[in-house]
Amino acid sequence: MTRGLLLSGAVAALLTTALPAQAATSSGGFEDPPPDKIVIKVATVNGSGCPAGTTAVAVSEDNTAFTVTYSDYLAQAGGGSDPTAFRKNCQLNLIVHVPQGFTYAIASADYRGFAALQSGATGTQRASYYFQGSPNTASRSHPFNGPYNDNWQATDTTDWAQLVWAPCGVQRNFNINTELRVAAGSTSANKVSFMTMDSTDGDISTVYHLAWKECPET
């Protein structure tokens, strides 16, 4: 299990140039992220898509995003595939320390990977997000249909009015549940179809974009 969260200079530079420096506010303008760094630690990581030691978390220098990197996340079906391999999942329980007086929400999330789906096969990427102890859960699904043999990308976005904010003044762990699911289909059941949240070099960064606002004074 990965617990350290020191961001390398190369990854920090990549995120800083690729992401906006501010988050949108309800008034249509922008609200600066807090000046102090946030710290994210992995409390637990569980699931068939993220065996121990294959998942890492890093925070961008400008506090507008964090990434989750997977190196062994693959679902497959058909041919001689293991009957249980059609679905892989990963649940991350994150401890997020934010500067005093601020709260945050996940405004959007970008997922990428590779899929090789035979004709008639289907694949699904799904994610849900919630704070510990909160009844509010945001879920998104993205279907893919064979024939498909290429990289894939999916983005979850949330309107400002529907953002689920971390409660102010208390520590609540943030949970991210992701899932890949593949169905071989009747026309290609004898051929393997698969879908990864991965890349050719063995890892992929899933980027979660943060929105910020100040907590009300008490």
Side-chain angles (χ1 to χ4, degrees), residues 1-3 5 40-45 56-57 92-95:
M1 180 185 302
T2 301
R3 294 182 183 274
L5 292 170
I40 300 177
K41 295 183 179 179
V42 179
T44 59
V45 53
V57 181
L92 291 170
N93 184 272
L94 304 177
I95 303 171

Side-chain angles (χ1 to χ4, degrees), residues 60-142:
S60 68
E61 283 190 328
D62 61 1
N63 291 348
T64 60
F66 66 92
T67 67
V68 180
T69 301
Y70 303 97
S71 59
D72 189 17
Y73 202 152
L74 180 149
Q76 68 179 51
S81 301
D82 187 307
T84 64
F86 77 98
R87 177 185 178 273
K88 295 294 177 72
N89 76 295
C90 183
Q91 176 169 322
L92 291 170
N93 184 272
L94 304 177
I95 303 171
V96 183
H97 296 282
V98 301
Q100 186 174 1
F102 284 87
T103 183
Y104 72 96
I106 303 299
S108 65
D110 300 321
Y111 297 91
R112 296 188 303 277
F114 184 84
L117 304 174
Q118 304 291 339
S119 178
T122 59
T124 303
Q125 182 271 326
R126 183 178 186 275
S128 60
Y129 319 90
Y130 66 95
F131 290 97
Q132 183 181 18
S134 172
N136 298 320
T137 300
S139 299
R140 301 288 187 276
S141 294
H142 301 275

Side-chain angles (χ1 to χ4, degrees), residues 2-217:
T2 301
R3 294 182 183 274
L5 292 170
L6 295 178
L7 182 60
S8 70
V11 175
L14 174 63
L15 289 174
T16 302
T17 56
L19 298 173
Q22 297 174 308
T25 66
S26 57
S27 63
F30 291 90
E31 183 164 307
D32 289 330
D36 297 328
K37 293 184 181 297
I38 61 172
V39 178
I40 300 177
K41 295 183 179 179
V42 179
T44 59
V45 53
N46 296 294
S48 54
C50 51
T54 66
T55 305
V57 181
V59 184
S60 68
E61 283 190 328
D62 61 1
N63 291 348
T64 60
F66 66 92
T67 67
V68 180
T69 301
Y70 303 97
S71 59
D72 189 17
Y73 202 152
L74 180 149
Q76 68 179 51
S81 301
D82 187 307
T84 64
F86 77 98
R87 177 185 178 273
K88 295 294 177 72
N89 76 295
C90 183
Q91 176 169 322
L92 291 170
N93 184 272
L94 304 177
I95 303 171
V96 183
H97 296 282
V98 301
Q100 186 174 1
F102 284 87
T103 183
Y104 72 96
I106 303 299
S108 65
D110 300 321
Y111 297 91
R112 296 188 303 277
F114 184 84
L117 304 174
Q118 304 291 339
S119 178
T122 59
T124 303
Q125 182 271 326
R126 183 178 186 275
S128 60
Y129 319 90
Y130 66 95
F131 290 97
Q132 183 181 18
S134 172
N136 298 320
T137 300
S139 299
R140 301 288 187 276
S141 294
H142 301 275
F144 298 86
N145 298 312
Y148 191 102
N149 188 34
D150 203 348
N151 296 315
W152 62 267
Q153 181 168 341
T155 298
D156 295 343
T157 58
T158 304
D159 292 336
W160 181 270
Q162 297 177 325
L163 290 176
V164 179
W165 295 93
C168 287
V170 294
Q171 179 65 53
R172 291 287 187 269
N173 289 9
F174 183 62
N175 293 274
I176 302 171
N177 295 313
T178 58
E179 175 183 317
L180 292 179
R181 188 184 293 261
V182 174
S186 59
T187 59
S188 57
N190 62 334
K191 298 179 180 179
V192 175
S193 292
F194 68 88
M195 188 172 182
T196 74
M197 201 175 296
D198 207 336
S199 68
T200 54
D201 63 357
D203 57 47
I204 190 72
S205 293
T206 296
V207 181
Y208 297 86
H209 304 267
L210 301 177
W212 292 98
K213 70 177 180 180
E214 293 190 35
C215 291
E217 294 184 4

